Amino acid sequence: MKKKQIGILAGSFNPIHMGHLMIANYMKEFTYLDEVWFVVSPRNPLKNAENLLNDELRLKMTKMAVEDYAGMKVSDIEFHMPLPSYTIDTMTKLTHENPDKEFTLIMGGDNWNDLPRWKEYKRLQHEFKMLIYPRLGYEVRIPEELRENIRFVEAPVVEISSTFIRNSLKEGKNVRAFVPPRVYDFIETNAFYHI
């Protein structure tokens, strides 16, 4: 039986924004993927945790964001793993727990260029498929020997970041068009990121 193809888009989603949904939507519709799962990370070992909203709140907002999208799901697998969470461990655990599915890691060109800093990155490159999407200012070179597993996808370049959203909210800007409607209302009602 053919395994279901699942794309993994992992991140802090602090908060999730329309850029995340655009990338996930593009990958699901224009590649071999059947579904895209958003894996909410409790703490990225390469990022500052200072401005990180509570794990459960970020998980809740991510679920709110995808509830109207077919073929998109949210996973809290990293909430049940040792911290900090490493992608190689997450991908391995997902594979063991879902033998009927094959997992592909979705990442931007910025992360692709930063990959040598990741735990067991060579194993990650050889054991899992990857789909790389473009980011402004980052050239993506995939060595010949990795091209069977890893490919560059000419997805639209989306330059929205969670940092931009947080900073804009702090400055009292209305960024409703950049954030899924339910998430934006939830942020505003609770005054997240405003201080």
Side-chain angles (χ1 to χ4, degrees):
M1 197 178 87
K2 190 174 174 287
K3 290 188 177 186
K4 201 169 201 183
Q5 298 296 318
I6 312 294
I8 295 299
L9 192 57
S12 304
F13 303 114
N14 186 37
I16 190 165
H17 53 67
M18 295 309 292
H20 295 127
L21 294 174
M22 288 176 198
I23 292 295
N25 184 207
Y26 190 91
M27 292 297 187
K28 188 193 157 300
E29 295 301 325
F30 296 94
T31 70
Y32 57 82
L33 297 177
D34 299 309
E35 291 179 3
V36 173
W37 292 6
F38 290 77
V39 172
V40 180
S41 301
R43 189 172 79 76
N44 179 330
L46 299 177
K47 281 190 179 172
N48 182 354
E50 193 184 316
N51 302 314
L52 205 56
L53 200 63
N54 168 288
D55 297 348
E56 295 297 335
L57 290 172
R58 289 183 292 113
L59 181 70
K60 182 175 181 168
M61 289 192 294
T62 307
K63 285 180 175 173
M64 282 177 176
V66 307
E67 64 186 41
D68 294 332
Y69 291 83
M72 290 191 200
K73 294 183 178 173
V74 179
S75 168
D76 66 351
I77 189 167
E78 291 190 352
F79 287 34
H80 314 287
M81 293 172 67
L83 289 176
S85 21
Y86 295 100
T87 305
I88 186 67
D89 299 333
T90 304
M91 295 295 281
T92 303
K93 189 172 168 67
L94 281 166
T95 301
H96 286 309
E97 289 182 359
N98 302 275
D100 59 328
K101 296 176 177 66
E102 186 174 28
F103 293 93
T104 295
L105 188 60
I106 300 168
M107 70 167 69
D110 52 341
N111 279 325
W112 170 252
N113 286 319
D114 203 33
L115 207 62
R117 292 177 62 204
W118 293 28
K119 179 186 173 186
E120 295 184 51
Y121 80 97
K122 288 200 164 154
R123 200 181 124 212
L124 197 60
Q125 289 175 326
H126 288 93
E127 288 185 18
F128 298 97
K129 290 182 181 175
M130 291 185 196
L131 293 173
I132 319 293
Y133 60 88
R135 293 296 300 266
L136 273 185
Y138 293 91
E139 190 181 346
V140 174
R141 283 203 184 106
I142 300 166
E144 193 69 50
E145 70 272 12
L146 296 175
R147 287 186 191 162
E148 196 178 316
N149 259 8
I150 301 167
R151 70 181 234 227
F152 180 71
V153 179
E154 289 283 0
V157 177
V158 182
E159 287 301 308
I160 307 169
S161 71
S162 296
T163 305
F164 163 76
I165 304 293
R166 290 194 306 272
N167 290 343
S168 301
L169 289 167
K170 202 179 288 182
E171 291 166 17
K173 307 279 189 212
N174 182 325
V175 285
R176 182 174 289 279
F178 296 88
V179 183
R182 285 188 195 93
V183 176
Y184 191 78
D185 291 342
F186 186 64
I187 288 171
E188 287 298 292
T189 302
N190 293 283
F192 296 142
Y193 308 116
H194 285 131
I195 300 162

